[in-house]
């Protein structure tokens, strides 16, 4: 559900920013550019947040930090 809200929210917010720029500058393409920027930015945020929520092999949330190799941490 959070992924969906990031994507829809990003598109809506940046489209509204583009719409405001279109009204201010008298153009018609900022709303489309804003939607594309919102889509790209939201996919970036989804990807970024998924990196912080790593899970181990049991499905438990792994601690932050670099992944360790082997039992001795090397």
């Amino acid at each position: 559900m959070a992924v969906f809200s990031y994507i829809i929210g990003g598109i809506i917010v940046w489209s509204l920013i583009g719409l405001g720029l279109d009204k201010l500058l008298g153009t018609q393409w900022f709303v489309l550019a804003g939607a594309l920027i919102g889509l790209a930015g939201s996919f970036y945020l989804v990807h970024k947040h998924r990196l912080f929520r790593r899970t181990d092999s049991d499905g438990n949330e792994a601690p932050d930090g670099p992944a360790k190799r082997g039992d001795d941490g090397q």
Side-chain angles (χ1 to χ4, degrees), residues 19-35:
L19 184 65
L21 286 173
D22 279 339
K23 298 268 186 198
L24 184 67
L25 301 174
T27 59
Q28 295 179 350
W29 58 273
F30 277 112
V31 68
L32 178 61

Side-chain angles (χ1 to χ4, degrees), residues 29-45:
W29 58 273
F30 277 112
V31 68
L32 178 61
L36 293 175
I37 290 170
L39 182 65
S42 61
F43 276 119
Y44 171 76
L45 285 176

